Amino acid sequence: MNLLYNLGISLFSLGVKIASLRNPKVRKMVKGQAATMETLRNTVSPDEKYVWVHAASLGEFEQGRPLIERLRRERPDLKIALTFFSPSGYEVRHNYNGADVVVYLPLDTPGNAREFLDILNPVTAIFVKYEFWGNYLTQLHRRGIPTYIISAIFRPGQIFFKPWGGMFRRWLGYYKTLYVQDDNSRDLLSGIGIDNVVVAGDTRFDRVTDIMSSTVGISGMYLFGYKYHPVIVFGSSWEADEAVYIPWLKKNPHVCPSMKRCSPRLPTAAAASPTPKASASSSSTHSACCQASTATEPSPMSAEDSATEYTTSTRRPSTVCPSSSARNIRNSRKQPASSTAAVDSRYRQPSSSATSPTHSSLTRQALKRPEKPPETISSAISERPTGFSTTFSTPTTAKKTALNSMIKVGIIGGSGYAAGELLRILINHPDVTIQWVNSRECAAQKITDIHQGLVGEIDMTFSSSTPLDKIDVLFCCTPYGRSREFLGNVTIPEELRIIDLARDFRMPSESHDFVYGLPELNRKAMVRGARHVANPGCIAVAIELMLLPLARNMLLNSDIHVTAVTGATCSGAERRPTSHYAWRNDNMIVYRPFSHHQLPEIRHTIAEVQPSFSSEINLVPMRGPFSRGIIAAAYLDCNISLPEIKRLYEEYYDDHNFTFIVDKTPDLKDVVNTNKCLIHLDRIGGKLMITAVIDNLLKGGAGTAVHNMNLLFGLQELTGLTMKSSAF
């Protein structure tokens, strides 16, 4: 039987080489397989420990990717070798930075299997889903290398369960553990004497969880959304899927008060014709929209109300909800979405229509500090997996009841610099009305007596009271300690959103449920229903934005040295010797070296993203002779090429509206008076140099606070924050 198998592989090899003469895709595979051994010899060091992960193609890679990235996080001592059989996988993912080496898998001949394993000598081998290469499995078994298969699925018609499938059944016995997707697969294997089986589910669920934790912008997602109402989109679903989720949604109306299947907007001539009905085997796209209607049965929408999207005649009409804002606010340069599987209406563009529909109250889950994605399948090095589960949470109901409702804002600590900038933004914010501004020291004074730059824009006095039941969101702009004191002495309405600009709640604690409010890190938590947000510190914003892409890719493996020069407004509006013009002008000084109060939140944030990070962050802050802004420069060890580093940064910030990678060293004046962060990268010798500039009062304070408010209330992220720098 082995002889017949090897003969079949040889004939297949010959057929592939013949096909490569006319097929460019096959030619790439043949060429890539021929280069594999040489690539491994030039890359793999004998003293390095490798885990070999093999995926047939791109789909299998996506199933194996969560395990690869978890291995990266939890076992940084191990290297990853990733192999593909198909060009569809290799040509797309050959630059995947989660693996140390990515190559084609040579055809399964005895000689190739021996040579491949002689060079790589992995400590563990992991195959994904449908990979049963006899010679490789035999060699792994003979060498005592633990071998696993994940996300495997078996069906009765496969050769393993045929009377003549003895050789193939023997190969299954070479796996130390088979992690299968369902009970049927386990039962089939048990029937042929294979008992080292664990039902661990499909790692595609893990991949979806990972995607949801790192949002990706998709142009046009606003078509699905309503301003204050979450939307569930079921993309390319099948009849069997619909039989599960539609009854579930009907039984759980708190998730979706009503459902509508939207018809495509067709040309007038075609609008009257019915859309062809899909066959039972065709796929479809549905969305469950939380709307004012209390009906639970799907109802067709008119062509005039539907979105301008088409589907092919073999599919049902795409379920696309109309855009829902009549307000003419500025368009976003990117349209981020929470994920392709569950899209929040919070990321939307304005409609060009003059009217907008009425909606029901927003349903939203109240979150505590963002947690890590649920544990799924444990490292292949471990003996047993943890398993995974899919859960649905019960949202709470927020205050907003209609599209045209304005967000009512209250501010405490209204006399400081941050509050002044916050007022400047909110006065011009199209979806906000300011109810009251509280100040202990300035009660009954006109706001423009303190913030003179707002003359002609606001005619209010500072309030001595704080009626929390009259507002939807509270901004705390008080000095350190006063936010906690204030909130501890008042009754907080359940649906009140709170954004704290002080540092009272930045570090996680069992005593509070504040989410760390850096949108480039925790946007998901805020758009998914967080109520309380702790704005990050201004220096922390600059440094974290400099380092997050490296941390996300597990590349912070040396001490980090940072110098940050801050403007006078970083010290607040309270008068002190170091804020006087005579002292500050033409002067610079180091303060709190290696002990700045924002260092703990920086270290914690980086460690949350890269759990293996244990190096030092050596921060030397300096007071600069200018009013506002922060310029930070960091350097660290790096052995990756500059183009690759730039690619990682551009990928990370691709769907974020306020952080940009620039080609020349930025000036402070490029960002002062804006909510932007500009980052410049350079590699000098073995060091990576990173420079970042922000406005400490906007990106480091009030601007990020308003950005967080936009996320909490489902507004477009740029709303109210499009500002020009004061460069000239």
Side-chain angles (χ1 to χ4, degrees):
M1 197 69 173
N2 280 338
L3 182 61
L4 290 175
Y5 175 80
N6 290 329
L7 178 60
I9 293 290
S10 299
L11 292 174
F12 175 76
S13 175
L14 178 61
V16 165
K17 289 177 181 177
I18 294 171
S20 70
L21 299 175
R22 304 187 65 178
N23 188 315
K25 187 175 180 180
V26 177
R27 190 157 52 246
K28 286 181 179 179
M29 182 178 75
V30 172
K31 185 177 179 181
Q33 289 176 340
T36 292
M37 302 303 185
E38 187 63 26
T39 301
L40 291 177
R41 289 191 189 93
N42 294 333
T43 305
V44 175
S45 173
D47 57 348
E48 294 173 333
K49 294 181 179 179
Y50 272 85
V51 172
W52 171 28
V53 180
H54 176 68
S57 191
L58 190 59
E60 288 78 13
F61 163 76
E62 291 298 330
Q63 288 180 282
R65 184 170 179 173
L67 180 57
I68 294 172
E69 294 178 357
R70 182 170 173 184
L71 278 170
R72 275 291 199 197
R73 292 192 301 270
E74 298 185 4
R75 294 295 304 271
D77 56 308
L78 297 175
K79 300 263 186 190
I80 305 292
L82 174 64
T83 60
F84 288 98
F85 176 79
S86 168
S88 301
Y90 177 82
E91 298 302 330
V92 175
R93 292 300 183 187
H94 65 276
N95 287 325
Y96 173 57
N97 53 48
D100 298 280
V101 57
V102 183
V103 292
Y104 277 101
L105 181 68
L107 290 178
D108 186 31
T109 67
N112 283 343
R114 285 192 297 269
E115 185 178 4
F116 180 89
L117 293 173
D118 284 344
I119 300 171
L120 188 61
N121 192 26
V123 295
T124 296
I126 302 168
F127 292 79
V128 182
K129 197 172 183 177
Y130 293 130
E131 290 300 284
F132 308 101
W133 296 113
N135 288 308
Y136 282 103
L137 288 171
T138 300
Q139 286 296 319
L140 288 165
H141 177 68
R142 289 175 179 174
R143 296 167 189 239
I145 297 172
T147 304
Y148 304 84
I149 188 166
I150 64 170
S151 292
I153 189 163
F154 293 87
R155 296 179 176 86
Q158 289 174 303
I159 194 170
F160 310 106
F161 312 108
K162 301 296 184 182
W164 56 86
M167 178 181 69
F168 298 93
R169 288 192 287 273
R170 185 171 71 251
W171 293 347
L172 293 180
Y174 294 161
Y175 288 107
K176 183 173 182 180
T177 305
L178 295 91
Y179 296 104
V180 299
Q181 294 188 24
D182 53 31
D183 292 335
N184 289 336
S185 296
R186 179 192 57 196
D187 294 342
L188 283 170
L189 292 170
S190 179
I192 59 172
I194 305 293
D195 296 320
N196 51 330
V197 179
V198 175
V199 178
D202 188 345
T203 48
R204 281 180 294 189
F205 288 98
D206 303 67
R207 182 64 187 138
V208 169
T209 301
D210 290 346
I211 291 171
M212 290 170 66
S213 67
S214 180
T215 55
V216 178
I218 301 177
S219 177
M221 280 296 104
Y222 68 93
L223 292 170
F224 290 84
Y226 288 86
K227 182 174 180 180
Y228 294 119
H229 306 279
V231 176
I232 305 172
V233 178
F234 297 87
S236 296
S237 63
W238 297 86
E239 296 281 357
D241 301 325
E242 296 160 21
V244 174
Y245 70 70
I246 290 178
W248 188 91
L249 288 169
K250 289 179 180 179
K251 291 178 182 178
N252 294 274
H254 57 274
V255 175
C256 182
S258 68
M259 292 184 292
K260 275 193 177 183
R261 178 178 298 159
C262 307
S263 303
R265 179 180 294 168
L266 300 173
T268 306
S273 355
T275 305
K277 187 175 181 180
S279 66
S281 62
S282 66
S283 61
S284 60
T285 304
H286 293 271
S287 73
C289 307
C290 297
Q291 296 179 236
S293 170
T294 58
T296 58
E297 288 294 325
S299 59
M301 295 184 67
S302 66
E304 289 73 24
D305 288 336
S306 62
T308 56
E309 298 247 322
Y310 288 86
T311 57
T312 65
S313 60
T314 59
R315 289 175 177 251
R316 287 190 182 86
S318 291
T319 308
V320 181
C321 297
S323 56
S324 57
S325 172
R327 193 177 303 279
N328 183 23
I329 61 176
R330 297 175 180 88
N331 290 339
S332 168
R333 72 181 175 93
K334 295 152 186 165
Q335 295 299 324
S338 297
S339 76
T340 56
V343 181
D344 256 311
S345 63
R346 298 159 176 79
Y347 299 124
R348 50 108 178 125
Q349 287 181 338
S351 169
S352 59
S353 61
T355 60
S356 54
T358 303
H359 305 311
S360 67
S361 59
L362 166 66
T363 56
R364 212 192 303 265
Q365 168 70 20
L367 300 178
K368 292 195 173 183
R369 275 203 169 261
E371 299 177 354
K372 295 181 181 179
E375 297 294 307
T376 53
I377 185 170
S378 68
S379 166
I381 307 304
S382 304
E383 289 297 321
R384 302 282 292 182
T386 60
F388 67 86
S389 63
T390 302
T391 60
F392 295 87
S393 53
T394 304
T396 58
T397 303
K399 274 187 179 177
K400 308 310 296 178
T401 58
L403 177 63
N404 57 4
S405 297
M406 300 290 278
I407 299 169
K408 299 176 180 64
V409 169
I411 300 172
I412 62 171
S415 61
Y417 289 142
E421 288 299 286
L422 184 61
L423 285 166
R424 179 167 70 92
I425 298 170
L426 294 177
I427 286 170
N428 296 290
H429 195 293
D431 292 293
V432 163
T433 177
I434 301 171
Q435 296 294 102
W436 48 261
V437 182
N438 171 268
S439 173
R440 288 183 182 180
E441 296 80 8
C442 305
Q445 291 188 52
K446 294 184 69 174
I447 289 175
T448 51
D449 288 345
I450 304 300
H451 302 298
Q452 296 184 46
L454 301 179
V455 169
E457 298 184 54
I458 188 170
D459 186 18
M460 294 176 66
T461 58
F462 287 110
S463 168
S464 59
S465 62
T466 56
L468 300 181
D469 59 333
K470 304 296 184 183
I471 60 174
D472 300 313
V473 59
L474 172 69
F475 290 93
C476 301
C477 302
T478 55
Y480 173 58
R482 290 195 187 175
S483 295
R484 186 181 292 271
E485 175 189 344
F486 171 81
L487 296 173
N489 292 318
V490 296
T491 300
I492 302 172
E494 183 181 357
E495 297 306 321
L496 178 66
R497 271 50 175 172
I498 301 172
I499 300 173
D500 180 37
L501 279 74
R503 56 186 171 99
D504 291 22
F505 302 103
R506 291 174 190 164
M507 297 299 290
S509 169
E510 294 295 326
S511 65
H512 68 78
D513 63 352
F514 278 74
V515 172
Y516 189 65
L518 184 64
E520 289 82 358
L521 176 65
N522 283 333
R523 179 167 62 188
K524 173 191 170 185
M526 287 182 277
V527 302
R528 294 293 176 83
R531 295 182 188 176
H532 306 149
V533 175
N535 243 45
C538 55
I539 293 178
V541 168
I543 295 175
E544 288 166 7
L545 292 178
M546 295 164 73
L547 300 178
L548 279 176
L550 297 175
R552 176 59 57 84
N553 290 279
M554 315 298 288
L555 294 174
L556 294 177
N557 301 308
S558 69
D559 288 353
I560 303 165
H561 307 275
V562 188
T563 300
V565 186
T566 64
T569 51
C570 282
S571 302
E574 182 181 348
R575 292 178 176 84
R576 59 191 72 189
T578 57
S579 64
H580 288 182
Y581 175 81
W583 186 93
R584 199 91 187 199
N585 186 50
D586 297 328
N587 192 23
M588 290 185 70
I589 189 172
V590 171
Y591 71 103
R592 298 179 190 164
F594 310 113
S595 60
H596 195 277
H597 62 268
Q598 291 179 30
L599 260 178
E601 69 177 279
I602 297 170
R603 289 192 179 109
H604 176 79
T605 299
I606 298 304
E608 282 283 294
V609 180
Q610 181 179 328
S612 63
F613 179 72
S614 59
S615 303
E616 290 295 327
I617 300 177
N618 299 311
L619 171 61
V620 179
M622 303 178 72
R623 292 189 172 101
F626 47 88
S627 296
R628 58 195 292 171
I630 296 174
I631 181 166
Y635 69 90
L636 63 151
D637 294 339
C638 181
N639 58 4
I640 300 176
S641 69
L642 186 60
E644 177 66 11
I645 294 169
K646 286 184 176 180
R647 185 185 66 80
L648 296 178
Y649 274 75
E650 288 166 355
E651 283 183 357
Y652 187 96
Y653 292 118
D654 180 62
D655 66 331
H656 292 283
N657 293 286
F658 297 106
T659 303
F660 301 88
I661 312 305
V662 295
D663 292 330
K664 71 179 189 70
T665 304
D667 301 322
L668 266 182
K669 286 194 173 183
D670 294 334
V671 296
V672 168
N673 200 47
T674 79
N675 197 49
K676 294 178 183 177
C677 174
L678 302 185
I679 298 174
H680 177 258
L681 303 163
D682 198 5
R683 191 168 183 271
I684 304 169
K687 303 292 183 184
L688 174 64
M689 175 79 175
I690 314 170
T691 307
V693 290
I694 65 168
D695 184 318
N696 60 292
L697 293 178
L698 290 174
K699 186 61 178 169
T704 291
V706 173
H707 187 179
N708 289 334
M709 180 197 73
N710 289 344
L711 293 172
L712 292 178
F713 287 91
L715 305 178
Q716 189 187 52
E717 294 185 53
L718 284 168
T719 306
L721 293 171
T722 304
M723 296 172 277
K724 182 188 178 299
S725 69
S726 56
F728 56 89

